[in-house]
mmCIF file of all heavy atoms in Angstrom:
data_model
loop_
_atom_site.group_PDB
_atom_site.id
_atom_site.type_symbol
_atom_site.label_atom_id
_atom_site.label_comp_id
_atom_site.label_asym_id
_atom_site.label_seq_id
_atom_site.Cartn_x
_atom_site.Cartn_y
_atom_site.Cartn_z
ATOM 1 N N VAL A 15 0.835 -1.201 0.000
ATOM 2 C CA VAL A 15 0.000 0.000 0.000
ATOM 3 C C VAL A 15 0.867 1.248 0.000
ATOM 4 O O VAL A 15 1.711 1.447 0.878
ATOM 5 C CB VAL A 15 -0.947 0.006 1.218
ATOM 6 C CG1 VAL A 15 -1.781 1.291 1.237
ATOM 7 C CG2 VAL A 15 -1.868 -1.212 1.179
ATOM 8 N N ARG A 16 0.642 2.104 -0.973
ATOM 9 C CA ARG A 16 1.396 3.347 -1.081
ATOM 10 C C ARG A 16 1.036 4.316 0.046
ATOM 11 O O ARG A 16 -0.003 4.181 0.694
ATOM 12 C CB ARG A 16 1.115 4.021 -2.429
ATOM 13 C CG ARG A 16 1.629 3.260 -3.636
ATOM 14 C CD ARG A 16 1.325 4.025 -4.906
ATOM 15 N NE ARG A 16 1.829 3.327 -6.087
ATOM 16 C CZ ARG A 16 1.114 3.069 -7.168
ATOM 17 N NH1 ARG A 16 -0.157 3.460 -7.229
ATOM 18 N NH2 ARG A 16 1.658 2.430 -8.195
ATOM 19 N N ALA A 17 1.866 5.318 0.221
ATOM 20 C CA ALA A 17 1.592 6.365 1.210
ATOM 21 C C ALA A 17 0.234 7.003 0.914
ATOM 22 O O ALA A 17 -0.050 7.376 -0.224
ATOM 23 C CB ALA A 17 2.690 7.422 1.177
ATOM 24 N N GLY A 18 -0.588 7.073 1.942
ATOM 25 C CA GLY A 18 -1.922 7.643 1.782
ATOM 26 C C GLY A 18 -2.953 6.659 1.304
ATOM 27 O O GLY A 18 -4.134 7.010 1.172
ATOM 28 N N GLY A 19 -2.548 5.412 1.044
ATOM 29 C CA GLY A 19 -3.474 4.391 0.556
ATOM 30 C C GLY A 19 -4.190 3.667 1.688
ATOM 31 O O GLY A 19 -4.033 3.991 2.867
ATOM 32 N N THR A 20 -4.975 2.650 1.317
ATOM 33 C CA THR A 20 -5.818 1.959 2.291
ATOM 34 C C THR A 20 -5.836 0.457 2.033
ATOM 35 O O THR A 20 -5.920 0.017 0.887
ATOM 36 C CB THR A 20 -7.271 2.485 2.225
ATOM 37 O OG1 THR A 20 -7.274 3.908 2.344
ATOM 38 C CG2 THR A 20 -8.114 1.890 3.343
ATOM 39 N N LEU A 21 -5.758 -0.306 3.110
ATOM 40 C CA LEU A 21 -6.007 -1.743 3.087
ATOM 41 C C LEU A 21 -7.380 -1.980 3.686
ATOM 42 O O LEU A 21 -7.625 -1.662 4.851
ATOM 43 C CB LEU A 21 -4.948 -2.487 3.898
ATOM 44 C CG LEU A 21 -5.215 -3.961 4.222
ATOM 45 C CD1 LEU A 21 -5.300 -4.796 2.953
ATOM 46 C CD2 LEU A 21 -4.148 -4.525 5.157
ATOM 47 N N VAL A 22 -8.312 -2.482 2.881
ATOM 48 C CA VAL A 22 -9.669 -2.771 3.330
ATOM 49 C C VAL A 22 -9.828 -4.278 3.430
ATOM 50 O O VAL A 22 -9.645 -5.005 2.444
ATOM 51 C CB VAL A 22 -10.721 -2.204 2.355
ATOM 52 C CG1 VAL A 22 -12.123 -2.635 2.773
ATOM 53 C CG2 VAL A 22 -10.640 -0.693 2.293
ATOM 54 N N SER A 23 -10.168 -4.777 4.619
ATOM 55 C CA SER A 23 -10.370 -6.205 4.827
ATOM 56 C C SER A 23 -11.833 -6.491 5.122
ATOM 57 O O SER A 23 -12.462 -5.791 5.922
ATOM 58 C CB SER A 23 -9.525 -6.703 5.996
ATOM 59 O OG SER A 23 -9.855 -8.043 6.327
ATOM 60 N N ILE A 24 -12.356 -7.527 4.476
ATOM 61 C CA ILE A 24 -13.721 -7.968 4.793
ATOM 62 C C ILE A 24 -13.688 -9.308 5.505
ATOM 63 O O ILE A 24 -14.726 -9.944 5.708
ATOM 64 C CB ILE A 24 -14.599 -8.061 3.527
ATOM 65 C CG1 ILE A 24 -14.008 -9.072 2.524
ATOM 66 C CG2 ILE A 24 -14.763 -6.691 2.895
ATOM 67 C CD1 ILE A 24 -14.943 -9.385 1.370
ATOM 68 N N VAL A 25 -12.483 -9.757 5.897
ATOM 69 C CA VAL A 25 -12.311 -11.058 6.535
ATOM 70 C C VAL A 25 -12.218 -10.910 8.050
ATOM 71 O O VAL A 25 -12.899 -11.601 8.800
ATOM 72 C CB VAL A 25 -11.048 -11.761 5.998
ATOM 73 C CG1 VAL A 25 -10.914 -13.143 6.611
ATOM 74 C CG2 VAL A 25 -11.079 -11.843 4.483
ATOM 75 N N ALA A 26 -11.333 -10.022 8.504
ATOM 76 C CA ALA A 26 -11.061 -9.826 9.928
ATOM 77 C C ALA A 26 -10.247 -8.556 10.059
ATOM 78 O O ALA A 26 -9.751 -8.019 9.060
ATOM 79 C CB ALA A 26 -10.287 -11.016 10.489
ATOM 80 N N PRO A 27 -10.055 -8.050 11.278
ATOM 81 C CA PRO A 27 -9.148 -6.922 11.451
ATOM 82 C C PRO A 27 -7.776 -7.259 10.878
ATOM 83 O O PRO A 27 -7.232 -8.327 11.166
ATOM 84 C CB PRO A 27 -9.099 -6.742 12.974
ATOM 85 C CG PRO A 27 -10.416 -7.261 13.450
ATOM 86 C CD PRO A 27 -10.723 -8.423 12.551
ATOM 87 N N PRO A 28 -7.199 -6.385 10.062
ATOM 88 C CA PRO A 28 -5.908 -6.691 9.430
ATOM 89 C C PRO A 28 -4.824 -6.970 10.469
ATOM 90 O O PRO A 28 -4.713 -6.273 11.482
ATOM 91 C CB PRO A 28 -5.603 -5.418 8.643
ATOM 92 C CG PRO A 28 -6.938 -4.788 8.405
ATOM 93 C CD PRO A 28 -7.749 -5.095 9.623
ATOM 94 N N GLU A 29 -4.021 -8.029 10.202
ATOM 95 C CA GLU A 29 -2.933 -8.389 11.107
ATOM 96 C C GLU A 29 -1.719 -7.501 10.907
ATOM 97 O O GLU A 29 -0.836 -7.428 11.768
ATOM 98 C CB GLU A 29 -2.552 -9.851 10.897
ATOM 99 C CG GLU A 29 -3.672 -10.824 11.235
ATOM 100 C CD GLU A 29 -3.239 -12.263 11.016
ATOM 101 O OE1 GLU A 29 -2.149 -12.634 11.480
ATOM 102 O OE2 GLU A 29 -3.991 -13.013 10.366
ATOM 103 N N ALA A 30 -1.625 -6.858 9.752
ATOM 104 C CA ALA A 30 -0.531 -5.924 9.474
ATOM 105 C C ALA A 30 -1.124 -4.659 8.871
ATOM 106 O O ALA A 30 -2.147 -4.710 8.183
ATOM 107 C CB ALA A 30 0.475 -6.551 8.508
ATOM 108 N N ARG A 31 -0.488 -3.539 9.136
ATOM 109 C CA ARG A 31 -0.998 -2.259 8.672
ATOM 110 C C ARG A 31 0.002 -1.614 7.724
ATOM 111 O O ARG A 31 1.226 -1.772 7.896
ATOM 112 C CB ARG A 31 -1.264 -1.325 9.857
ATOM 113 C CG ARG A 31 -2.141 -1.925 10.945
ATOM 114 C CD ARG A 31 -2.350 -0.957 12.083
ATOM 115 N NE ARG A 31 -3.241 0.122 11.711
ATOM 116 C CZ ARG A 31 -4.575 0.044 11.779
ATOM 117 N NH1 ARG A 31 -5.158 -1.054 12.199
ATOM 118 N NH2 ARG A 31 -5.319 1.084 11.423
ATOM 119 N N PRO A 32 -0.472 -0.867 6.739
ATOM 120 C CA PRO A 32 0.452 -0.148 5.861
ATOM 121 C C PRO A 32 1.302 0.832 6.658
ATOM 122 O O PRO A 32 0.834 1.430 7.630
ATOM 123 C CB PRO A 32 -0.479 0.594 4.889
ATOM 124 C CG PRO A 32 -1.779 -0.140 4.964
ATOM 125 C CD PRO A 32 -1.885 -0.656 6.356
ATOM 126 N N ALA A 33 2.559 0.996 6.233
ATOM 127 C CA ALA A 33 3.466 1.883 6.962
ATOM 128 C C ALA A 33 2.988 3.327 6.943
ATOM 129 O O ALA A 33 3.122 4.053 7.937
ATOM 130 C CB ALA A 33 4.869 1.781 6.372
ATOM 131 N N GLU A 34 2.415 3.758 5.819
ATOM 132 C CA GLU A 34 1.987 5.151 5.694
ATOM 133 C C GLU A 34 0.560 5.240 5.153
ATOM 134 O O GLU A 34 0.230 6.164 4.404
ATOM 135 C CB GLU A 34 2.942 5.913 4.771
ATOM 136 C CG GLU A 34 4.368 5.959 5.265
ATOM 137 C CD GLU A 34 5.262 6.742 4.313
ATOM 138 O OE1 GLU A 34 5.199 7.989 4.321
ATOM 139 O OE2 GLU A 34 6.010 6.091 3.553
ATOM 140 N N GLY A 35 -0.273 4.292 5.518
ATOM 141 C CA GLY A 35 -1.651 4.295 5.053
ATOM 142 C C GLY A 35 -2.598 3.821 6.137
ATOM 143 O O GLY A 35 -2.220 3.671 7.299
ATOM 144 N N LEU A 36 -3.823 3.564 5.742
ATOM 145 C CA LEU A 36 -4.862 3.127 6.673
ATOM 146 C C LEU A 36 -5.151 1.640 6.512
ATOM 147 O O LEU A 36 -4.978 1.069 5.431
ATOM 148 C CB LEU A 36 -6.152 3.911 6.412
ATOM 149 C CG LEU A 36 -6.112 5.425 6.595
ATOM 150 C CD1 LEU A 36 -7.454 6.032 6.190
ATOM 151 C CD2 LEU A 36 -5.771 5.785 8.029
ATOM 152 N N ALA A 37 -5.624 1.026 7.592
ATOM 153 C CA ALA A 37 -6.130 -0.345 7.547
ATOM 154 C C ALA A 37 -7.535 -0.335 8.123
ATOM 155 O O ALA A 37 -7.765 0.193 9.215
ATOM 156 C CB ALA A 37 -5.237 -1.289 8.343
ATOM 157 N N VAL A 38 -8.473 -0.887 7.376
ATOM 158 C CA VAL A 38 -9.892 -0.817 7.748
ATOM 159 C C VAL A 38 -10.516 -2.196 7.609
ATOM 160 O O VAL A 38 -10.238 -2.923 6.648
ATOM 161 C CB VAL A 38 -10.655 0.166 6.830
ATOM 162 C CG1 VAL A 38 -12.127 0.212 7.192
ATOM 163 C CG2 VAL A 38 -10.034 1.556 6.878
ATOM 164 N N ASP A 39 -11.345 -2.584 8.586
ATOM 165 C CA ASP A 39 -12.237 -3.726 8.389
ATOM 166 C C ASP A 39 -13.639 -3.274 8.746
ATOM 167 O O ASP A 39 -13.815 -2.358 9.557
ATOM 168 C CB ASP A 39 -11.813 -4.931 9.234
ATOM 169 C CG ASP A 39 -11.985 -4.690 10.725
ATOM 170 O OD1 ASP A 39 -11.208 -3.861 11.286
ATOM 171 O OD2 ASP A 39 -12.871 -5.298 11.332
ATOM 172 N N PHE A 40 -14.641 -3.880 8.135
ATOM 173 C CA PHE A 40 -16.005 -3.405 8.359
ATOM 174 C C PHE A 40 -17.004 -4.532 8.172
ATOM 175 O O PHE A 40 -16.703 -5.566 7.565
ATOM 176 C CB PHE A 40 -16.339 -2.247 7.408
ATOM 177 C CG PHE A 40 -16.524 -2.656 5.968
ATOM 178 C CD1 PHE A 40 -17.799 -2.808 5.432
ATOM 179 C CD2 PHE A 40 -15.426 -2.891 5.137
ATOM 180 C CE1 PHE A 40 -17.976 -3.180 4.107
ATOM 181 C CE2 PHE A 40 -15.597 -3.247 3.817
ATOM 182 C CZ PHE A 40 -16.877 -3.404 3.295
ATOM 183 N N VAL A 41 -18.184 -4.329 8.717
ATOM 184 C CA VAL A 41 -19.326 -5.226 8.509
ATOM 185 C C VAL A 41 -20.304 -4.509 7.598
ATOM 186 O O VAL A 41 -20.685 -3.357 7.864
ATOM 187 C CB VAL A 41 -19.999 -5.599 9.841
ATOM 188 C CG1 VAL A 41 -21.237 -6.447 9.588
ATOM 189 C CG2 VAL A 41 -19.023 -6.339 10.748
ATOM 190 N N VAL A 42 -20.713 -5.178 6.531
ATOM 191 C CA VAL A 42 -21.587 -4.552 5.556
ATOM 192 C C VAL A 42 -22.931 -4.172 6.189
ATOM 193 O O VAL A 42 -23.443 -4.884 7.065
ATOM 194 C CB VAL A 42 -21.791 -5.484 4.341
ATOM 195 C CG1 VAL A 42 -22.514 -6.764 4.739
ATOM 196 C CG2 VAL A 42 -22.537 -4.779 3.218
ATOM 197 N N GLU A 43 -23.505 -3.066 5.739
ATOM 198 C CA GLU A 43 -24.789 -2.585 6.232
ATOM 199 C C GLU A 43 -25.759 -2.428 5.073
ATOM 200 O O GLU A 43 -25.358 -2.091 3.959
ATOM 201 C CB GLU A 43 -24.622 -1.240 6.940
ATOM 202 C CG GLU A 43 -23.726 -1.284 8.156
ATOM 203 C CD GLU A 43 -23.584 0.081 8.805
ATOM 204 O OE1 GLU A 43 -24.058 1.071 8.207
ATOM 205 O OE2 GLU A 43 -23.017 0.162 9.911
ATOM 206 N N SER A 44 -27.025 -2.630 5.361
ATOM 207 C CA SER A 44 -28.031 -2.428 4.327
ATOM 208 C C SER A 44 -28.186 -0.944 4.033
ATOM 209 O O SER A 44 -28.068 -0.096 4.927
ATOM 210 C CB SER A 44 -29.374 -3.009 4.771
ATOM 211 O OG SER A 44 -30.290 -2.990 3.703
ATOM 212 N N ASP A 45 -28.417 -0.630 2.764
ATOM 213 C CA ASP A 45 -28.587 0.762 2.352
ATOM 214 C C ASP A 45 -29.449 0.776 1.097
ATOM 215 O O ASP A 45 -29.024 0.296 0.048
ATOM 216 C CB ASP A 45 -27.214 1.394 2.085
ATOM 217 C CG ASP A 45 -27.316 2.891 1.805
ATOM 218 O OD1 ASP A 45 -27.886 3.257 0.760
ATOM 219 O OD2 ASP A 45 -26.805 3.676 2.623
ATOM 220 N N ARG A 46 -30.651 1.339 1.211
ATOM 221 C CA ARG A 46 -31.595 1.296 0.090
ATOM 222 C C ARG A 46 -31.065 2.040 -1.136
ATOM 223 O O ARG A 46 -31.188 1.556 -2.261
ATOM 224 C CB ARG A 46 -32.947 1.877 0.523
ATOM 225 C CG ARG A 46 -34.000 1.852 -0.585
ATOM 226 C CD ARG A 46 -35.328 2.407 -0.090
ATOM 227 N NE ARG A 46 -35.959 1.475 0.851
ATOM 228 C CZ ARG A 46 -37.105 1.737 1.483
ATOM 229 N NH1 ARG A 46 -37.707 2.900 1.291
ATOM 230 N NH2 ARG A 46 -37.624 0.860 2.315
ATOM 231 N N ALA A 47 -30.459 3.197 -0.916
ATOM 232 C CA ALA A 47 -29.953 3.971 -2.049
ATOM 233 C C ALA A 47 -28.839 3.224 -2.770
ATOM 234 O O ALA A 47 -28.780 3.208 -4.010
ATOM 235 C CB ALA A 47 -29.463 5.331 -1.578
ATOM 236 N N GLN A 48 -27.946 2.600 -2.025
ATOM 237 C CA GLN A 48 -26.859 1.849 -2.640
ATOM 238 C C GLN A 48 -27.393 0.622 -3.377
ATOM 239 O O GLN A 48 -26.897 0.287 -4.477
ATOM 240 C CB GLN A 48 -25.843 1.433 -1.588
ATOM 241 C CG GLN A 48 -25.067 2.605 -1.003
ATOM 242 C CD GLN A 48 -24.178 2.209 0.158
ATOM 243 O OE1 GLN A 48 -24.025 1.029 0.474
ATOM 244 N NE2 GLN A 48 -23.589 3.200 0.815
ATOM 245 N N LEU A 49 -28.373 -0.053 -2.820
ATOM 246 C CA LEU A 49 -28.990 -1.177 -3.522
ATOM 247 C C LEU A 49 -29.572 -0.711 -4.856
ATOM 248 O O LEU A 49 -29.475 -1.412 -5.869
ATOM 249 C CB LEU A 49 -30.085 -1.808 -2.664
ATOM 250 C CG LEU A 49 -29.623 -2.652 -1.479
ATOM 251 C CD1 LEU A 49 -30.803 -2.985 -0.578
ATOM 252 C CD2 LEU A 49 -28.933 -3.935 -1.944
ATOM 253 N N GLY A 50 -30.172 0.481 -4.850
ATOM 254 C CA GLY A 50 -30.719 1.021 -6.089
ATOM 255 C C GLY A 50 -29.628 1.295 -7.122
ATOM 256 O O GLY A 50 -29.811 1.031 -8.319
ATOM 257 N N GLU A 51 -28.489 1.821 -6.666
ATOM 258 C CA GLU A 51 -27.362 2.060 -7.577
ATOM 259 C C GLU A 51 -26.871 0.748 -8.178
ATOM 260 O O GLU A 51 -26.555 0.657 -9.375
ATOM 261 C CB GLU A 51 -26.211 2.743 -6.823
ATOM 262 C CG GLU A 51 -26.495 4.147 -6.356
ATOM 263 C CD GLU A 51 -26.257 5.173 -7.461
ATOM 264 O OE1 GLU A 51 -25.943 4.770 -8.590
ATOM 265 O OE2 GLU A 51 -26.390 6.375 -7.175
#
């Protein structure tokens, strides 16, 4: 991951983080507008 970039995990909290970026994990949420898109 480049500086300012992001590691997004949908499996579990990331075990390693980018040196100069973000690490994110999340649980999907329902969203009517996004479903429409």
Side-chain angles (χ1 to χ4, degrees):
V15 178
R16 293 181 179 130
T20 307
L21 168 63
V22 174
S23 172
I24 60 170
V25 183
E29 297 180 48
R31 307 179 73 85
E34 299 181 76
L36 298 176
V38 179
D39 67 290
F40 72 101
V41 176
V42 64
E43 298 179 352
S44 189
D45 186 293
R46 181 179 289 177
Q48 292 173 7
L49 286 169
E51 293 277 4

